[in-house]
């Protein structure tokens, strides 16, 4: 997973270099009339421009690392939160300086999981080294395509093995304490490879930009990085399948989708910049080689949409009086269960294409629209028709034959309009999707829609409160965990919120005071982590009751983060609250003692779910489907459950 993170960093750097080297360098300094808007740029020789542009990109990555990755303010907050917990009677933790990489052994059942460590600092150094290495790769690839293999090519190969070998070595438990030295080594190796590549690239200064293969070098590096991310996703998926103890299909799917979206977003931004720079009818064309990752991205989306439609068609919702039933629950569970299949099929398609080009063209990666024109067209058109027909079928199952017929007719009209050339372009989320050819359609969807979607969401977020709420929810999910895998993620709040909440619970549960800890959604994850910081046998446990609602621990977290939200973690909370052991999806022992823990959930809630421990879960609430994940606290069931826990704590009612 850390290697995948390093490759994603490389992908974003490649597209920054594509703008700096290809657009502002090669295409805007050769005297063409396409870039009059930036004629103020100094006309460096190619060698000097390679040096300046790659240095700017690496320096920007370093600034991101210092400004975001090191997060000095959040470190102070984390240390203060842990000090508050210790002052409130929590466990005094040893100084963590002797252990660089806690990811090798710690889980949320260990209070030290939330203790600040300098690991992020070392990962920042490593990723800056990876950025320098990828910059060297780009220059070496441009040199190879222009004049053939040179010394920088072999240097970057050796440096790549060393840098990613260091990353893998540092992530093993045996060498985790060597993380500081290994991180500085990765930084030094990456910078050295970049310097050698820059010196070698100066050999191209006697050539004009029109005789330097900039696009070919950039596109090949981006293609290979995308493929490497996809392969890593398959490896993660295979490891989970072989162990039979980890559910890694969701993780693998997210790694593959992350690589494809990273490529699509980068290439889409490149396309938007080139259109802004272009003048007249002879604008700058799209980056060479980007259409086959775009094709994979489109196929991935079609497969995912088809899987969701197929699942809904097989398991329709039974909507009676607008109440939710098991149908919605079944759909959400099954769609999640098959998320990994589109990733696997996409990878298989990529592998076939790469093997085919190797056999026929050596190491040259051509566009699939050139190498496999008929196959690519048949695949995309067939998949899109299947998905659209599945949508028609779903409409028929949920609505009526008349509505389904109208939907099918609308689809037929759109296809006919596109085929006849009457419909050549539409605007989706601010991005132009063109239908002039299959190649343009694929590029438009895969390259521009992610950019248009993200940009439009950011703009609407400023004016729309609901949009801000949605972004805030995603931010909550993405910034909970300590940043032990990628240093440039959202600043993490878990090491602050978890110890602070644990300290607050201890303060409120002093003496004869009792506490009901009530938590909704992500709050259930935070509160469970906070409770696990209280050691076994601590008298605080006897003065606590726990109420969760819309709880994603079993429904989502135990599957996505199976190494942390384990049966052991869930059993620990149950047993320390006076109950028995249990696990998500396990059998319920009705003779086991009931803990002071209740969990409310709905069939219509796609996020929260049941917890299979005797006495923990109340029966699913039969509420309106529009309630879904919200409004638990205003229901009679919530009030009754809260009163029951009050009675248990005070000894005035309820069962112990």
């Amino acid at each position: 997973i850390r290697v995948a993170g390093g490759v994603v960093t490389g992908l974003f750097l490649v597209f920054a270099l594509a703008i700096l080297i290809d657009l502002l360098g090669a295409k805007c300094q050769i005297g063409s009339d396409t870039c009059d808007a930036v004629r103020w740029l100094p006309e460096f020789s190619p060698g000097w421009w390679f040096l300046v542009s790659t240095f700017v990109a690496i320096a920007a990555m370093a600034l991101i690392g210092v400004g975001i990755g090191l997060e000095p303010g959040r470190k102070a907050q984390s240390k203060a939160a842990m000090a508050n917990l210790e002052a409130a009677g929590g466990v005094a933790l040893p100084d963590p300086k002797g252990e660089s990489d806690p990811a090798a052994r710690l889980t949320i059942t260990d209070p030290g999981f939330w203790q600040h460590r300098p690991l992020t600092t070392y990962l920042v150094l490593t990723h800056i080294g990876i950025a320098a290495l990828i910059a060297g790769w780009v220059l070496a690839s441009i040199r190879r395509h222009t004049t053939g293999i040179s010394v920088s090519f072999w240097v970057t190969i050796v440096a790549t093995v060393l840098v990613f070998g260091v990353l893998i070595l540092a992530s093993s438990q045996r060498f985790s304490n060597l993380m500081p030295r290994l991180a500085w080594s990765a930084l030094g190796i990456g910078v050295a490879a970049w310097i050698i590549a820059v010196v070698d690239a100066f050999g191209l200064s006697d050539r004009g930009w029109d005789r330097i293969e900039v696009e070919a070098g950039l596109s090949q590096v981006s293609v290979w990085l995308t493929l490497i991310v996809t392969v890593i996703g398959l490896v993660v998926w295979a490891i989970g399948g072989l162990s039979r103890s980890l559910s890694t299909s969701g993780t693998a799917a997210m790694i593959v989708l992350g690589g494809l979206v990273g490529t699509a977003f980068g290439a889409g931004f490149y396309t938007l910049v080139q259109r802004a720079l272009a003048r007249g009818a002879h604008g700058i064309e799209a980056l060479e080689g980007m259409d086959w990752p775009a094709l994979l991205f489109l196929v991935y989306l079609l497969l995912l949409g088809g899987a969701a439609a197929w699942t809904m068609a097989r398991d329709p919702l039974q909507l009676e009086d607008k109440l939710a039933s098991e149908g919605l629950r079944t759909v959400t569970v099954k769609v999640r269960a098959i998320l990994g299949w589109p990733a696997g099929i996409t990878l298989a398609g990529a592998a076939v294409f790469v093997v085919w080009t190797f056999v026929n063209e050596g190491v040259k990666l051509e566009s699939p629209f050139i190498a496999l024109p008929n196959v690519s067209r048949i695949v995309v058109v067939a998949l899109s028709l299947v998905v659209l027909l599945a949508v028609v079928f779903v409409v028929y199952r949920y609505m009526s034959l008349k509505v389904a017929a109208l939907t099918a007719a609308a689809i037929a009209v759109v296809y006919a309009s596109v085929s006849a050339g009457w419909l050549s372009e539409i605007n989706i989320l601010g991005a132009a999707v063109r239908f002039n050819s299959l190649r343009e359609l694929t590029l438009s969807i895969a390259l521009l829609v992610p950019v248009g979607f993200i940009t439009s969401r950011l703009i609407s977020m400023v004016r729309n409160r609901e949009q801000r709420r949605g972004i805030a929810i995603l931010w909550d999910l993405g910034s909970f965990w300590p940043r032990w895998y990628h240093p440039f993620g959202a600043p993490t709040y878990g090491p602050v919120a978890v110890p602070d909440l644990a300290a607050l619970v201890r303060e409120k549960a002093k003496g004869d005071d009792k506490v009901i800890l009530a938590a909704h959604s992500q709050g259930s994850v935070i509160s469970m982590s906070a409770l696990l910081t209280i050691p076994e046998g601590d008298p605080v446990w006897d003065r606590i009751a726990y109420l969760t609602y819309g709880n994603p621990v079993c429904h989502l977290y135990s599957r996505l983060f199976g190494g942390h939200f384990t049966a052991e973690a869930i059993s620990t909370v149950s047993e320390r609250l006076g109950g028995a052991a249990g696990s998500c999806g396990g059998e319920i022992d009705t003779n086991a003692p009931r803990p002071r823990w209740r969990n409310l959930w709905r069939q219509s809630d796609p996020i929260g779910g049941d917890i299979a421990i005797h006495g923990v879960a109340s029966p699913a609430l039969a509420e309106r489907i529009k309630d879904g994940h919200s409004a638990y606290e205003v229901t009679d069931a919530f009030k009754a459950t809260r009163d029951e826990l009050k009675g248990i704590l005070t000894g005035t009612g309820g069962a112990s």
Side-chain angles (χ1 to χ4, degrees):
I1 291 174
R2 281 189 181 158
V3 171
V7 175
V8 170
T9 295
L11 273 172
F12 280 94
L13 188 85
V14 164
F15 287 104
L17 292 176
I19 293 172
L20 292 172
I21 297 178
D22 188 45
L23 292 183
L24 299 181
K27 290 188 171 67
C28 289
Q29 293 193 21
I30 60 176
S32 69
D33 59 354
T34 60
C35 298
D36 290 338
V38 289
R39 284 285 52 180
W40 50 267
L41 281 173
E43 295 197 12
F44 290 116
S45 67
W48 281 105
W49 188 257
F50 289 145
L51 171 61
V52 171
S53 58
T54 53
F55 176 79
V56 167
I58 297 168
M61 189 68 68
L63 288 175
I64 292 173
V66 172
I68 297 177
L70 300 185
E71 54 179 9
R74 193 56 59 89
K75 287 180 181 178
Q77 292 176 332
S78 176
K79 291 179 179 179
M82 198 60 74
N84 290 340
L85 177 57
E86 187 176 341
V91 179
L93 297 173
D95 189 339
K97 290 182 179 178
E99 182 179 49
S100 303
D101 192 356
R105 67 172 184 85
L106 294 183
T107 68
I108 60 165
T109 57
D110 190 321
F113 184 86
W114 303 107
Q115 193 173 16
H116 168 71
R117 286 174 171 79
L119 173 62
T120 307
T121 302
Y122 306 137
L123 288 178
V124 167
L125 296 175
T126 304
H127 277 250
I128 295 173
I130 290 173
L133 174 65
I134 297 302
W137 255 118
V138 168
L139 296 181
S141 182
I142 292 172
R143 174 83 184 199
R144 186 182 75 81
H145 278 82
T146 304
T147 62
I149 293 177
S150 62
V151 63
S152 61
F153 178 82
W154 299 112
V155 168
T156 49
I157 287 180
V158 174
T160 300
V161 173
L162 291 175
V163 169
F164 284 96
V166 162
L167 197 60
I168 295 171
L169 194 67
S171 300
S172 67
Q173 188 168 357
R174 181 179 177 186
F175 297 101
S176 63
N177 292 341
L178 297 178
M179 189 67 171
R181 296 180 184 177
L182 293 172
W184 282 107
S185 299
L187 176 61
I189 294 169
V191 170
W194 166 66
I195 291 173
I196 293 173
V198 167
V199 172
D200 193 34
F202 264 91
L204 300 175
S205 292
D206 57 342
R207 292 171 172 263
W209 281 109
D210 56 337
R211 293 192 297 142
I212 300 176
E213 299 292 334
V214 172
E215 275 197 36
L218 282 163
S219 63
Q220 188 168 74
V221 174
S222 64
V223 164
W224 280 109
L225 289 176
T226 307
L227 184 64
I228 290 169
V229 172
T230 312
V231 170
I232 292 172
L234 180 65
V235 171
V236 171
W237 194 6
I239 289 172
L242 292 174
S243 68
R244 297 188 178 183
S245 60
L246 296 173
S247 178
T248 57
S249 62
T251 306
M254 291 305 295
I255 288 175
V256 174
L257 187 59
L260 293 176
V261 169
T263 303
F265 187 84
F269 193 72
Y270 172 96
T271 305
L272 293 178
V273 172
Q274 71 170 2
R275 290 183 180 179
L277 296 176
R279 291 290 185 271
H282 303 288
I284 306 169
E285 296 183 357
L287 184 63
E288 181 182 304
M290 278 299 94
D291 47 5
W292 87 261
L295 175 66
L296 295 183
F297 181 67
L298 179 60
V299 171
Y300 185 96
L301 293 181
L302 288 171
L303 286 168
L304 198 59
W310 172 76
T311 304
M312 292 180 69
R314 290 186 64 243
D315 299 283
L317 307 183
Q318 304 299 323
L319 302 180
E320 299 175 1
D321 300 325
K322 296 186 178 180
L323 294 180
S325 70
E326 281 288 343
L328 183 57
R329 195 61 168 190
T330 303
V331 169
T332 57
V333 170
K334 289 196 174 183
V335 168
R336 186 187 61 245
I338 59 178
L339 277 177
W341 286 103
I345 296 173
T346 302
L347 174 66
V352 169
F353 172 70
V354 171
V355 170
W356 190 91
T357 53
F358 259 71
V359 171
N360 290 274
E361 301 289 342
V363 296
K364 186 178 180 182
L365 289 175
E366 287 188 343
S367 161
F369 296 93
I370 297 173
L372 303 171
N374 296 327
V375 174
S376 62
R377 182 180 182 85
I378 290 171
V379 167
V380 175
V381 173
L383 279 173
S384 60
L385 282 173
V386 169
V387 171
L388 292 172
L389 290 174
V391 169
V392 172
F393 185 56
V394 170
V395 171
Y396 166 69
R397 294 291 295 269
Y398 290 111
M399 296 183 185
S400 65
L401 179 61
K402 183 183 293 184
V403 177
L406 290 173
T407 304
I411 291 171
V413 169
V414 171
Y415 260 77
S417 301
V418 172
S419 301
W422 302 329
L423 180 63
S424 61
E425 181 178 309
I426 62 172
N427 211 286
I428 298 178
L429 300 172
V433 178
R434 298 180 175 179
F435 300 101
N436 296 332
S437 67
L438 180 64
R439 182 177 187 273
E440 289 197 15
L441 172 62
T442 306
L443 281 168
S444 296
I445 292 177
L447 302 185
L448 296 182
V449 169
V451 178
F453 176 80
I454 293 173
T455 304
S456 64
R457 293 286 75 78
L458 291 176
I459 294 173
S460 62
M461 179 185 71
V462 177
R463 299 177 295 179
N464 190 308
R465 184 175 180 274
E466 285 302 312
Q467 290 287 350
R468 288 198 299 274
R469 184 173 180 270
I471 296 294
I473 291 171
L474 292 176
W475 191 275
D476 271 354
L477 298 175
S479 56
F480 168 69
W481 296 100
R483 291 192 294 182
W484 290 351
Y485 299 100
H486 200 297
F488 302 147
T492 174
Y493 67 86
V496 179
V498 171
D500 267 345
L501 179 59
L504 181 63
V505 169
R506 297 188 73 93
E507 291 171 1
K508 297 293 184 182
K510 288 180 179 178
D512 295 330
D513 293 337
K514 315 290 184 182
V515 171
I516 296 178
L517 182 58
H520 173 248
S521 191
Q522 183 71 6
S524 303
V525 176
I526 299 170
S527 59
M528 183 175 174
S529 303
L531 289 176
L532 287 168
T533 66
I534 304 174
E536 184 178 6
D538 193 309
V540 171
W541 283 107
D542 298 329
R543 300 191 291 273
I544 297 175
Y546 191 30
L547 172 58
T548 55
Y549 45 105
N551 186 346
V553 166
C554 275
H555 187 46
L556 295 176
Y557 272 71
S558 67
R559 293 178 170 89
L560 293 175
F561 309 106
H564 293 282
F565 287 91
T566 59
E568 177 190 359
I570 295 168
S571 295
T572 296
V573 175
S574 174
E575 290 170 336
R576 293 180 184 178
L577 288 169
S583 62
C584 299
E587 295 183 3
I588 295 178
D589 181 5
T590 56
N591 296 319
R594 302 179 67 190
R596 297 182 302 281
W597 179 7
R598 299 292 181 270
N599 181 65
L600 304 178
W601 60 289
R602 294 191 183 103
Q603 303 286 5
S604 60
D605 187 345
I607 297 174
D610 192 5
I611 292 181
I613 297 177
H614 178 60
V616 170
S618 302
L621 304 183
E623 300 291 337
R624 297 169 298 174
I625 189 171
K626 68 178 184 179
D627 288 334
H629 190 54
S630 305
Y632 280 92
E633 60 275 11
V634 299
T635 63
D636 292 336
F638 180 90
K639 298 171 185 176
T641 304
R642 179 194 60 197
D643 292 341
E644 179 194 2
L645 290 174
K646 282 184 179 179
I648 293 174
L649 283 175
T650 59
T652 59
S656 62

